[in-house]
Amino acid sequence: MKYEKISDKVYRVKMRDASDDELKKISDEMGLALNLEEMKRIKEYFSNLGRDPTDVEIHAIAQAWSEHCSYKSSKPILRKYIFGIESPHTIVVMQDDAGVVEFDENHAYVFKIESHNHPSAVEPYGGAATGVGGIIRDVLNMGAKPIALVDPLFFAPPDYPYKKLRQGIKHPRYLLKGVVSGIRDYGNRVGIPTVAGITYFDEGYVNNILVNAGCLGIVKKDKIVRSRVTKPDVLLVMVGGRTGRDGIHGVNFASKVLSEKSEEEREAVQLGNPILKEPLIHLILEANEMGIIHGMKDLGGGGLGSVVGEMCYSGGVGAEVHLDKVLLKERDMAPWEIWVSESQERMLLAIEEENLEKLKNLCDKWDVEISVIGKSIMEKNLRIYWQGRKILDLPLNFLTGGVEYNRPYKIQKIEKMQEIPPEPKYREIFLNLLSSINIASKEWIIRQYDHEVQGKTVIKPLQGEIGFETHGDAAVIKPLHDSWRGIAITTVANPQIARIDPYVGSLYTMDEAVRNLVAVGAKPHALSDCLNFGNPEKEEIMGEFVESSRGLGEAGRFLEIPFVSGNVSFYNEAFRMNIPPTVVLMAVGIIEDMRKAITTDLKKEGNPVYLVGETREEMGGSDYYRMIGVRSTYVPRVDLSETKRRSEELLKAMKSGLILSCHDVSHGGLAVTLAEMAIGGNIGAEIDLRSMGVMRDDFKLFSESPTRWVCEVQRGKEGEFEKIVNATKIGYVGGNSLRVRDGERWLFNVHLNILRSRWKNGLKDYLG
Amino acid sequence: MKVAILQMEGTNCEEESFIAFRDSGFEPEYVHINLLKPGDLEKYNVLFIPGGFSAGDYVRAGAIFAARLKAKIWKDLKNFVDEGKIVMGVCNGFQVLIELGLLPAVDGISDEPQAALMVNDSNKFECRWTYLRRENDTIFTSKVPEVITLPVAHAEGKFVAPNKILEKIEEQKQVVFRYVKPDGSKADYPWNPNGSMNDIAAITNPQGNVLGIMPHPERAFFWYQHPDWTRKKREKGDGSLIFKSLIKYS
């Protein structure tokens, strides 16, 4: 008998004399997702104490030690590369649930991006909705008002054959529709605009989709709340939703590979309720304005278990919790279930006793439930009581101090090669690229998200003439009524390059973040990273992680853009297939005066068009090569000093009002950039590639070399522009078609209507 | 001019609405439905029901908000309208006014809804900018030019009514705005974003003191909220002209 009942729904687990096999069995039976080494460590700990643990204690430890909560595989690498990049503007960096950065003298912005991958793979609608709900709470619990959401998504192609799907794997079209609906119904209902995102398709995500969600908020500097309790006898108060069995073991679920059995773990997926969240946001912000919140943290992954421990541990105190006080959705929950439940819409507030009445009154107004579940104590222990009996007593440094691994890794050697295809039919290949799923219009998705609510989105995700809009590079939010200062937001990811060379993939992604922000006229300011990888217990996957982190750190340091928050998602593996290394960045820039912001749509006939940056014959990872099935490992080389210099030049020209439209060159190369600009402006252009020098025309058109932008310059200001920006004039705005030649040789001439319909329908045709 | 901006769980356009009223010279206040008591409405000149997803729109858009208003202050609300005070509902607020029977109210306030705002023809939520043509002279539109642009953001905005009701709405000149193409001609999708009958975007009651509008004027209050401000200069947002008309009326 391994389990002995000691109280109502509480068991003692006899592990002191358990064999290795029995330890593994305990881990499996209890759903702990701990390996043998970790189980042995627990056994040793309790042997030294001279007693067996309760089931609550084991569950609490398993949760705190899960990859999701402890970052046990990633922390040493993150510390080496990503943490500690200096910036004079940062306020809270990589400590609480979201990063805090100075916005202006009196305000700060708060933001973070994180993953919600496994739940979304199993239950796309609920998983994605909960992902949005969770990230909103991360921003809210710093005391900030959430004002923008972003959603990068990764699926297999929508035409993936059903026959090739493994058992238990859902079709990408079903997953995409479910995820988009989940984000839409949650984000729209809660009244926060979704302003940016990515929808990326690759077969590498067929068994394991990625759903990342980011949120940004704004707070007065003197109202920033920390996720910590710094003295004893502060009340621990739960507000918001009740606690149920939904989301039991979510973090453990997130910390192992998916399989055909994952469907059976649907209960690990939490259920969100935006109409509970909406008043909760009001309540929290009003309480914060009154200054009655001592500390605050949301209950996300790990539930009460991780929140109580982390809040008290980081503030240097302990905690005493009475689990009978927690309001439940269903009776008969065992204490361990209450402790690890990840039910949504719950926040833990630390409140001084004298302020409790005020908080209760606010709860009455907003119809939100509240219960006092315990208090902080001097001794740095966690103590849990159940029906008056102590059922857990552990020192916080053992529980929350956690574990860390220096996992072995192997860095793959890259054989340099580049095949050269025969010259293509330009018009055909160009239109095929324009309508390919990774390039085609994402309007079907973007318009289902309310990107206008709150009235602060001054540069929208879709830009240009009304009814003819094109993709923008970044959105701009004007957070304050009485200031022109704006926040630019973009999200970027380039797994197609990272899968060839993860280090360069990171540099390229950093370059693209800068490109996008600069394109709207914003100076890059801070980053949040969501690192999605396969199984870290495999050396080559760990190698990808190390190389990706190295690239991010190097670029962040050189460009002086700090990473202020982030999330690592490992174990994105199923059926022995790991996802491509997927670094997702949520990048934030500051635009001093949003009236100077720039959009991507061409503006006016007769204005000159310039190309900024070097185009090189490096086709590895390009959409062109991938579409025609030609191989290359020559990925675009990034020169960070160029990134820096060219952005500074462009920002200067924008400040002087010389640039009327600007779009970065990325997927599909120069040709696609020009097409998108023409589509949004509802006006064509005539382009001559001769000034780009001697190179094959398909490389000129479709190369994805970094650090490039296309700019439309005010007519008559060419001289002034050229003095500031090192750029090549390639043509003029005008006409109702995009006409491209290289000297005397015409490559294509495509009418705007054809451009628009191919671009607009490429993805929509699959989604209806 | 005191304005009550009603709140309940799920309303979420109250802040931009508050700014729009305040900057137009009104005195707006937030009033949460949970704190609303009989008699409270008396001190206000305007009752504003903002957009959002009251109670999640889980039953039918606006239905629960309407039911709670009826339960709490139905008599006061009817008096408010009969006295000629102003009621304005945007998006979800429009849906609430129809559920209440305050619109279209072709023969006076009705016990049953006479029309509906149904699921869009595209069968999904859509956030996009529309062109609107001003139809009849109302206290809400005296300062509004013939064609303006405002954003819509809804899943249920298709205005439908039985033919007889629709005829009366037209006859009594209750239509305030119709969706049109940029050149002012008759709209098709996406210019009519939801499939509304007669391209109806906004109506009043026959007396002209209750307005329901699907597009969001409060989201187009400032020039920089328009999506094409980098292409076209404006002094102020088109939506502000509706608030301006109303303050002038008072």
Side-chain angles (χ1 to χ4, degrees):
Chain A
M1 181 64 180
K2 293 196 296 276
Y3 309 101
E4 176 202 354
K5 187 167 179 175
I6 55 167
S7 168
D8 183 26
K9 295 186 280 284
V10 182
Y11 293 83
R12 193 174 295 290
V13 183
K14 295 192 175 167
M15 71 187 299
R16 276 182 299 169
D17 47 7
S19 67
D20 286 1
D21 278 352
E22 281 169 332
L23 285 176
K24 270 196 267 183
K25 211 170 151 208
I26 293 174
S27 173
D28 282 350
E29 277 174 7
M30 296 179 71
L32 304 174
L34 291 178
N35 64 27
L36 182 61
E37 290 310 307
E38 289 158 343
M39 289 300 285
K40 277 161 100 170
R41 209 175 135 195
I42 299 173
K43 173 179 161 179
E44 188 193 326
Y45 181 80
F46 282 96
S47 298
N48 290 340
L49 282 184
R51 67 174 177 93
D52 277 315
T54 63
D55 57 346
V56 185
E57 286 175 319
I58 295 196
H59 278 292
I61 293 167
Q63 188 156 51
W65 289 6
S66 69
E67 186 69 58
H68 188 92
C69 291
S70 70
Y71 290 85
K72 59 193 172 192
S73 302
S74 59
K75 219 165 201 171
I77 311 291
L78 296 175
R79 211 181 285 127
K80 183 168 173 191
Y81 294 116
I82 293 184
F83 293 173
I85 296 173
E86 300 285 324
S87 156
H89 312 294
T90 51
I91 297 170
V92 179
V93 181
M94 295 287 183
Q95 290 179 52
D96 295 7
D97 282 342
V100 184
V101 187
E102 179 176 86
F103 175 65
D104 65 12
E105 205 187 325
N106 301 315
H107 297 83
Y109 64 90
V110 176
F111 77 117
K112 185 188 182 181
I113 186 164
E114 70 178 13
S115 63
H116 217 64
N117 301 336
H118 284 183
S120 307
V122 175
E123 216 292 76
Y125 182 87
T130 311
V132 176
I135 197 69
I136 292 170
R137 285 195 310 277
D138 281 339
V139 165
L140 182 62
N141 74 36
M142 306 304 293
K145 179 181 166 62
I147 56 172
L149 291 169
V150 302
D151 295 285
L153 314 173
F154 301 79
F155 305 96
D159 58 352
Y160 195 85
Y162 276 90
K163 274 189 286 189
K164 279 172 70 185
L165 289 175
R166 303 292 296 260
Q167 195 190 346
I169 297 298
K170 298 175 175 71
H171 194 268
R173 225 158 43 221
Y174 168 84
L175 291 167
L176 168 67
K177 285 188 171 182
V179 165
V180 170
S181 306
I183 293 168
R184 174 196 68 202
D185 287 355
Y186 200 103
N188 293 356
R189 281 197 166 101
V190 82
I192 304 168
T194 298
V195 301
I198 299 170
T199 315
Y200 185 89
F201 299 97
D202 186 286
E203 298 206 351
Y205 302 103
V206 67
N207 297 332
N208 193 130
I209 63 168
L210 301 182
V211 173
N212 293 177
C215 181
L216 181 138
I218 186 96
V219 61
K220 285 185 205 141
K221 276 185 190 167
D222 58 0
K223 296 288 180 195
I224 297 168
V225 180
R226 299 298 305 270
S227 303
R228 50 177 61 163
V229 185
T230 54
K231 57 184 186 181
D233 292 320
V234 179
L235 300 180
L236 302 175
V237 182
M238 281 178 79
V239 296
R242 288 185 164 224
T243 301
R245 286 203 169 90
D246 48 321
I248 299 253
H249 281 161
V251 294
N252 314 66
F253 178 57
S255 306
K256 60 184 185 189
V257 300
L258 287 171
S259 72
E260 61 268 57
K261 287 196 184 144
S262 297
E263 182 70 27
E264 294 162 16
E265 302 192 52
R266 249 179 205 254
E267 67 188 35
V269 181
Q270 314 88 333
L271 306 166
N273 180 354
I275 300 309
L276 197 53
K277 172 69 66 49
E278 200 268 342
L280 187 59
I281 295 174
H282 284 288
L283 163 72
I284 297 286
L285 294 176
E286 283 182 22
N288 192 33
E289 196 58 42
M290 290 163 75
I292 60 174
I293 303 177
H294 170 90
M296 172 162 56
K297 196 166 164 71
D298 79 297
L299 276 71
L304 270 178
S306 68
V307 169
V308 174
E310 285 172 25
M311 258 178 97
C312 292
Y313 185 64
S314 60
V317 294
E320 170 186 308
V321 175
H322 298 266
L323 282 181
D324 345 52
K325 304 279 189 220
V326 176
L327 301 174
L328 301 180
K329 288 185 190 171
E330 44 200 317
R331 280 184 301 172
D332 293 336
M333 283 178 73
W336 75 265
E337 292 180 303
I338 299 170
W339 189 243
V340 304
S341 163
E342 297 178 13
S343 288
Q344 292 292 292
E345 323 311 357
R346 301 179 301 161
M347 304 280 283
L348 188 73
L349 271 56
I351 297 277
E352 311 252 10
E353 185 139 23
E354 72 217 45
N355 293 323
L356 185 61
E357 217 38 50
K358 292 179 202 156
L359 183 66
K360 279 185 170 164
N361 289 339
L362 280 178
C363 286
D364 276 349
K365 170 178 168 191
W366 291 104
D367 237 343
V368 172
E369 289 192 309
I370 172 170
S371 64
V372 179
I373 62 158
K375 60 173 189 177
S376 58
I377 55 173
M378 187 69 95
E379 220 177 323
K380 292 175 188 168
N381 264 41
L382 174 67
R383 298 204 175 102
I384 298 182
Y385 295 85
W386 176 247
Q387 297 169 352
R389 181 177 179 150
K390 190 161 72 179
I391 56 168
L392 179 146
D393 191 347
L394 291 170
L396 278 173
N397 63 357
F398 173 70
L399 191 64
T400 305
V403 282
E404 226 173 71
Y405 292 131
N406 281 308
R407 293 204 185 271
Y409 62 86
K410 195 162 77 195
I411 292 166
Q412 306 274 44
K413 207 173 156 348
I414 302 149
E415 306 254 341
K416 290 277 183 193
M417 56 79 66
Q418 177 155 290
E419 295 174 356
I420 304 295
E423 214 178 1
K425 290 181 181 143
Y426 284 98
R427 182 188 164 94
E428 190 183 317
I429 205 83
F430 164 59
L431 288 175
N432 287 347
L433 268 173
L434 200 57
S435 58
S436 63
I437 46 175
N438 279 326
I439 289 171
S441 170
K442 305 296 181 293
E443 182 180 0
W444 188 90
I445 297 167
I446 297 169
R447 291 212 189 279
Q448 293 194 56
Y449 304 149
D450 192 340
H451 45 261
E452 303 272 1
V453 62
Q454 298 193 10
K456 299 184 173 96
T457 316
V458 294
I459 295 291
K460 329 270 179 191
L462 291 168
Q463 305 171 0
E465 199 174 311
I466 294 177
F468 300 92
E469 297 91 340
T470 188
H471 289 159
D473 285 314
V476 177
I477 304 283
K478 179 180 175 298
L480 303 175
H481 184 54
D482 51 5
S483 158
W484 294 113
R485 208 170 169 83
I487 295 177
I489 306 174
T490 188
T491 53
V492 285
N494 290 285
Q496 76 284 358
I497 294 171
R499 72 159 18 127
I500 300 171
D501 185 337
Y503 166 73
V504 176
S506 282
L507 295 183
Y508 189 87
T509 300
M510 288 288 284
D511 182 78
E512 191 183 358
V514 170
R515 253 146 56 200
N516 284 350
L517 294 173
V518 168
V520 296
K523 190 173 160 48
H525 209 242
L527 295 160
S528 182
D529 59 313
C530 189
L531 311 177
N532 305 272
F533 287 81
N535 184 347
E537 293 162 33
K538 298 196 169 146
E539 291 186 2
E540 60 279 18
I541 301 294
M542 205 54 208
E544 290 174 354
F545 181 72
V546 170
E547 282 294 271
S548 298
S549 303
R550 181 166 73 93
L552 289 178
E554 204 175 293
R557 240 165 226 109
F558 187 88
L559 300 168
E560 297 166 272
I561 316 173
F563 295 91
V564 299
S565 59
N567 161 245
V568 179
S569 169
F570 278 132
Y571 297 98
N572 292 295
E573 177 195 14
F575 300 104
R576 302 235 174 98
M577 187 166 112
N578 285 283
I579 58 156
T582 310
V583 167
V584 178
L585 298 178
M586 175 178 179
V588 174
I590 295 292
I591 176 160
E592 280 171 29
D593 184 345
M594 57 64 55
R595 290 173 291 186
K596 299 247 163 99
I598 311 279
T599 51
T600 54
D601 46 305
L602 291 179
K603 301 292 184 305
K604 209 173 163 204
E605 175 127 29
N607 284 332
V609 176
Y610 284 83
L611 173 64
V612 178
E614 291 290 325
T615 306
R616 292 184 293 260
E617 300 176 337
E618 41 200 13
M619 305 304 283
S622 68
D623 275 61
Y624 170 51
Y625 260 41
R626 290 192 302 148
M627 194 169 79
I628 59 174
V630 174
R631 293 181 307 155
S632 165
T633 57
Y634 274 93
V635 287
R637 193 166 43 83
V638 178
D639 179 345
L640 293 169
S641 60
E642 266 207 13
T643 313
K644 201 172 201 168
R645 178 173 59 85
R646 292 195 189 276
S647 338
E648 280 163 7
E649 289 174 4
L650 271 178
L651 288 174
K652 196 171 166 200
M654 286 170 171
K655 248 187 195 165
S656 315
L658 303 173
I659 298 177
L660 294 179
S661 66
C662 180
H663 195 6
D664 88 309
V665 180
S666 62
H667 288 286
L670 175 63
V672 167
T673 301
L674 289 166
E676 288 188 333
M677 294 176 82
I679 287 168
N682 203 19
I683 188 167
E686 182 155 334
I687 303 295
D688 186 348
L689 306 177
R690 186 165 47 183
S691 52
M692 291 170 70
V694 182
M695 190 186 294
R696 279 174 58 130
D697 285 322
D698 50 349
F699 292 176
K700 283 183 181 175
L701 284 171
F702 308 129
S703 161
E704 295 179 18
S705 292
T707 330
R708 292 185 303 156
W709 295 262
V710 172
C711 295
E712 174 191 358
V713 171
Q714 177 89 55
R715 187 181 192 168
K717 304 271 185 179
E718 288 96 328
E720 223 177 307
F721 174 78
E722 286 171 23
K723 247 187 247 160
I724 301 173
V725 182
N726 185 358
T728 313
K729 195 195 283 181
I730 55 170
Y732 291 91
V733 178
N736 52 17
S737 65
L738 181 59
R739 305 172 297 286
V740 178
R741 64 189 156 109
D742 192 339
E744 300 306 308
R745 185 184 178 209
W746 282 94
L747 301 174
F748 57 79
N749 176 351
V750 184
H751 194 274
L752 278 175
N753 292 344
I754 297 172
L755 281 184
R756 183 174 296 114
S757 85
R758 290 295 296 267
W759 179 76
K760 268 194 133 170
N761 294 325
L763 180 60
K764 190 170 151 261
D765 284 349
Y766 292 106
L767 303 173
Chain B
M1 282 287 266
K2 291 190 79 133
V3 183
I5 298 179
L6 269 187
Q7 288 179 300
M8 75 175 275
E9 62 272 19
T11 53
N12 59 29
C13 305
E14 54 261 47
E15 211 182 290
E16 51 272 40
S17 305
F18 186 96
I19 291 171
F21 277 110
R22 187 193 62 197
D23 286 18
S24 304
F26 294 84
E27 293 169 62
E29 280 174 14
Y30 295 122
V31 180
H32 197 285
I33 193 165
N34 287 353
L35 306 180
L36 193 61
K37 294 182 301 295
D40 282 357
L41 280 190
E42 273 171 35
K43 63 173 178 174
Y44 297 103
N45 312 87
V46 180
L47 177 68
F48 182 82
I49 308 177
F53 289 80
S54 54
D57 279 357
Y58 289 122
V59 178
R60 192 171 62 245
I64 293 177
F65 203 153
R68 279 172 66 181
L69 277 175
K70 268 198 170 169
K72 282 205 135 169
I73 52 154
W74 183 224
K75 237 180 161 173
D76 289 7
L77 192 52
K78 280 207 278 197
N79 288 340
F80 195 87
V81 172
D82 288 341
E83 282 169 25
K85 288 182 169 181
I86 292 157
V87 178
M88 186 172 166
V90 173
C91 196
N92 197 222
F94 188 6
Q95 293 158 344
V96 173
L97 293 176
I98 286 189
E99 287 289 328
L100 284 169
L102 294 180
L103 286 176
V106 289
D107 305 309
I109 299 170
S110 62
D111 293 333
E112 300 275 317
Q114 291 179 323
L117 289 160
M118 289 178 40
V119 174
N120 298 345
D121 277 354
S122 67
N123 203 21
K124 52 181 188 284
F125 184 99
E126 287 200 45
C127 178
R128 58 165 73 247
W129 283 71
T130 59
Y131 283 86
L132 301 165
R133 191 176 63 223
R134 175 174 51 79
E135 286 295 294
N136 296 297
D137 292 331
T138 69
I139 56 171
F140 301 96
T141 51
S142 58
K143 295 263 180 189
V144 175
E146 199 185 339
V147 175
I148 58 170
T149 56
L150 295 180
V152 293
H154 59 248
E156 295 167 64
K158 177 184 180 176
F159 185 86
V160 294
N163 275 339
K164 274 193 182 149
I165 304 279
L166 198 61
E167 275 165 27
K168 273 207 151 168
I169 290 172
E170 295 287 358
E171 226 176 80
Q172 300 185 127
K173 299 194 179 300
Q174 288 178 247
V175 178
V176 183
F177 288 112
R178 264 186 244 280
Y179 301 112
V180 288
K181 284 188 178 171
D183 61 5
S185 64
K186 183 168 169 43
D188 48 14
Y189 181 81
W191 305 111
N192 174 342
N194 45 37
S196 283
M197 291 173 115
N198 294 9
D199 303 316
I200 288 172
I203 56 170
T204 60
N205 59 349
Q207 293 70 35
N209 63 326
V210 179
L211 171 73
I213 178 167
M214 264 340 269
H216 289 269
E218 79 283 5
R219 293 188 190 179
F221 190 80
F222 302 103
W223 59 264
Y224 50 78
Q225 291 170 321
H226 280 264
D228 54 352
W229 67 262
T230 59
R231 308 178 66 80
K232 195 176 162 186
K233 285 247 169 300
R234 286 182 181 84
E235 287 292 310
K236 46 177 100 44
D238 287 357
S240 70
L241 302 169
I242 293 175
F243 295 92
K244 214 172 172 193
S245 305
L246 202 53
I247 192 85
K248 182 200 146 219
Y249 156 81
S250 54

